[in-house]
Amino acid sequence: MTAGRQTVRTVDCGGRTVTYTLTRKRVKNLNLRVRPDGSVAVSAAQRVPAGYVDDFVRDKSPLIFRALDRMAAEKPSPRRYLTGEAVWYLGCPLRLEVERGRKAQGTVEGDILHLAVPDPEDPGSRERAFGRAWDALCRREFEEVLEELYPLVAPFGVARPALRVRAMRSRWGSCHYTKGVVVLSSHLLAKPRAAVEYVVLHELCHFVHPDHSQAFYGLLASLMPDWRQRKALLR
């Protein structure tokens, strides 16, 4: 199957198969990547025969299978929103404590996340309550970070943007500079606060430079010299 300059190929690797996406680029070497979602991608120059790339993937198959097996072992079990479950909050594990309450809300006290649920016996009620409580916690924490970092870009004529929270999985944040809106992923709340600050400032800098140009990264580095270390925390 081909889509533009991409081709999906499958190779047999001693009883197991690897399906990968081959992208033709102006690169000197073959580049292989196992993505967090378990997909395999290879980039190669146009002149490299597809069969040669297949052999390359076959040669690297032990590395690929080790990565895929590790991801499968580390994949968390489905959340049931029960007392005792661990919830990562700003880089720290919290113990979930489910309690009966008329209004769904979450409060953090020490290393415990208290979750008020109208009907604790109903799995759907627990899940809905957690979602509403988590969104409220996201808005509180993210607004606080935005309030702290906005003054860094205000001198460049940037108006304070509005904040939106969405359950995005493909990105940590996005900037709609023409609308004056920053959107942050609700999954970002699990990461350390230093990483949250990096994502927020990254999006704020886009109001000055809407692209990822050298000028953009120059501004980001001038405002947050350790941005690379903070970005690494997102992994």
Side-chain angles (χ1 to χ4, degrees):
M1 181 175 64
T2 303
R5 301 176 66 185
Q6 290 188 335
T7 304
V8 178
R9 302 181 61 82
T10 300
V11 296
D12 179 75
C13 303
R16 295 179 70 174
T17 59
V18 174
T19 298
Y20 70 96
T21 300
L22 171 60
T23 303
R24 297 295 185 174
K25 294 182 178 180
R26 293 182 179 179
V27 293
K28 294 182 179 180
N29 303 310
L30 294 176
N31 300 306
L32 183 147
R33 181 185 178 193
V34 180
R35 298 191 178 108
D37 63 0
S39 61
V40 181
V42 180
S43 58
Q46 189 67 43
R47 67 178 183 279
V48 179
Y52 184 88
V53 181
D54 288 346
D55 290 340
F56 171 77
V57 171
R58 194 173 290 111
D59 183 60
K60 297 295 183 181
S61 62
L63 180 152
I64 296 172
F65 292 137
R66 280 198 300 271
L68 294 176
D69 292 343
R70 183 177 67 252
M71 290 178 185
E74 294 175 349
K75 187 176 181 180
S77 57
R79 188 178 295 283
R80 300 175 64 192
Y81 308 100
L82 293 172
T83 293
E85 287 185 356
V87 178
W88 284 88
Y89 182 84
L90 292 177
C92 297
L94 302 182
R95 181 179 182 274
L96 186 63
E97 189 73 33
V98 179
E99 305 159 353
R100 185 178 296 276
R102 289 191 301 174
K103 182 180 179 181
Q105 60 181 359
T107 56
V108 178
E109 294 183 1
D111 60 352
I112 296 178
L113 172 56
H114 296 276
L115 177 65
V117 182
D119 184 2
E121 303 303 318
D122 177 40
S125 180
R126 294 197 304 269
E127 183 175 1
R128 290 189 296 272
F130 183 87
R132 287 193 290 270
W134 192 258
D135 283 347
L137 291 169
C138 284
R139 287 192 294 272
R140 186 189 73 185
E141 297 291 348
F142 296 164
E143 282 285 3
E144 182 177 299
V145 174
L146 182 60
E147 188 69 23
E148 291 178 5
L149 296 180
Y150 166 67
L152 295 179
V153 298
F156 297 90
V158 176
R160 190 188 188 286
L163 174 68
R164 302 285 184 271
V165 177
R166 295 177 184 168
M168 301 185 296
R169 291 188 177 276
S170 60
R171 58 177 62 186
W172 297 113
S174 61
C175 165
H176 300 280
Y177 60 92
T178 59
K179 299 179 180 179
V181 175
V182 166
V183 182
L184 298 178
S185 169
S186 58
H187 301 288
L188 183 61
L189 190 59
K191 300 301 180 180
R193 197 177 197 275
V196 177
E197 292 170 351
Y198 156 72
V199 174
V200 171
L201 186 59
H202 181 111
E203 302 308 332
L204 287 175
C205 286
H206 277 312
F207 285 95
V208 183
H209 300 288
D211 50 19
H212 286 104
S213 63
Q214 185 176 355
F216 167 82
Y217 284 109
L219 175 62
L220 178 61
S222 69
L223 300 178
M224 185 176 283
D226 63 342
W227 69 268
R228 289 183 177 84
Q229 290 84 349
R230 291 168 178 261
K231 182 181 180 180
L233 295 174
L234 295 170
R235 305 184 189 130

